[in-house]
Amino acid sequence: MADDLINPNPVVHARRETVKRKARPAPAPRPVSPLGFGDGEALEGDEGGREPIDELEVFEHIRDITDPEHPYTLEQLNVVEEKLISVDDSKGRVRVNFTPTVSHCSMATLIGLSIRVRLMRALPQRFKVDIQVTPGSHSSEAAVNKQLNDKERVAAALENPNLLDMVNRCLASCDNEGRAPAA
């Protein structure tokens, strides 16, 4: 089986300690109309009653995705790192760059699709998510990026039951957040 692996000996890194967030203050209550509804005007600093999303939160959502080829997480293989994530909460944009373990990785599209699906399931719909291979880290970078950010290609991929099953297997470890995936 080791002969079939794209990267038979990946470098495995220790899981980083989870950074504890400071508790965010609860949003201030909105003024209430006589009918019991808020008047729709956000109070200063309220951000419309929604909690802002940041890079750490996005990283927490994707760090435990299991690599499709190895029993390790994307974080353990340094495929995803918090420093490769950018979030513009006010514009509803998230960008995740990921770094395959080898430049000719044929699993790069599946890894990117798993990241996209995880974020589709975890983030509010107001976010536009861009998934890209870290520049210079893959021999077919442009083709992989095009596949991962084309809505029609992503939809078609997710209609394929075998591919969806592979994505769901990669995401199964995310259901056990904070625990290492089963080997």
Side-chain angles (χ1 to χ4, degrees), residues 128-151:
K128 176 173 182 339
V129 177
D130 292 315
I131 308 294
Q132 296 186 334
V133 174
T134 303
S137 68
H138 197 275
S139 57
S140 301
E141 178 183 331
V144 171
N145 289 344
K146 185 174 183 178
Q147 285 182 310
L148 293 175
N149 292 296
D150 183 314
K151 287 181 185 179

Side-chain angles (χ1 to χ4, degrees), residues 1-10 67-70 101-102 104-107 166:
M1 167 127 178
D3 295 339
D4 297 339
L5 299 177
I6 296 163
N7 184 1
N9 296 308
D67 183 81
E69 190 176 39
H70 299 287
T101 59
V102 292
H104 57 279
C105 179
S106 63
M107 299 286 177
M166 289 171 55

Side-chain angles (χ1 to χ4, degrees), residues 6-179:
I6 296 163
N7 184 1
N9 296 308
V11 176
V12 179
H13 302 269
R15 179 179 168 89
R16 290 168 198 83
E17 261 190 61
T18 302
V19 176
K20 298 289 183 198
R21 288 181 194 273
K22 293 180 182 175
R24 293 181 179 141
R30 295 175 183 264
V32 178
S33 73
L35 298 175
F37 300 105
D39 68 3
E41 288 187 34
L43 297 176
E44 187 175 329
D46 182 16
E47 295 203 32
R50 64 183 169 96
E51 195 171 297
I53 306 290
D54 62 12
E55 290 82 359
L56 177 59
E57 184 168 346
V58 172
F59 180 69
E60 289 293 329
H61 286 304
I62 64 175
R63 72 190 300 183
D64 292 321
I65 296 172
T66 303
D67 183 81
E69 190 176 39
H70 299 287
Y72 303 112
T73 67
L74 297 185
E75 178 189 21
Q76 289 174 308
L77 297 174
N78 264 7
V79 173
V80 295
E81 299 177 74
E82 185 181 353
K83 69 181 181 183
L84 298 177
I85 299 169
S86 63
V87 176
D88 186 337
D89 186 71
S90 64
K91 293 181 180 175
R93 301 216 29 133
V94 172
R95 172 171 289 184
V96 176
N97 284 355
F98 70 97
T99 310
T101 59
V102 292
S103 64
H104 57 279
C105 179
S106 63
M107 299 286 177
T109 304
L110 178 58
I111 291 168
L113 187 60
S114 298
I115 293 169
R116 175 169 295 287
V117 169
R118 176 64 177 146
L119 293 178
M120 284 170 51
R121 293 176 181 174
L123 295 178
Q125 288 185 338
R126 66 185 171 88
F127 282 96
K128 176 173 182 339
V129 177
D130 292 315
I131 308 294
Q132 296 186 334
V133 174
T134 303
S137 68
H138 197 275
S139 57
S140 301
E141 178 183 331
V144 171
N145 289 344
K146 185 174 183 178
Q147 285 182 310
L148 293 175
N149 292 296
D150 183 314
K151 287 181 185 179
E152 291 172 2
R153 289 182 190 204
V154 169
L158 296 177
E159 288 176 7
N160 178 326
N162 294 324
L163 192 52
L164 183 58
D165 182 55
M166 289 171 55
V167 167
N168 285 331
R169 278 186 281 166
C170 291
L171 298 181
S173 57
C174 294
D175 296 334
N176 303 322
E177 288 182 31
R179 296 189 296 260

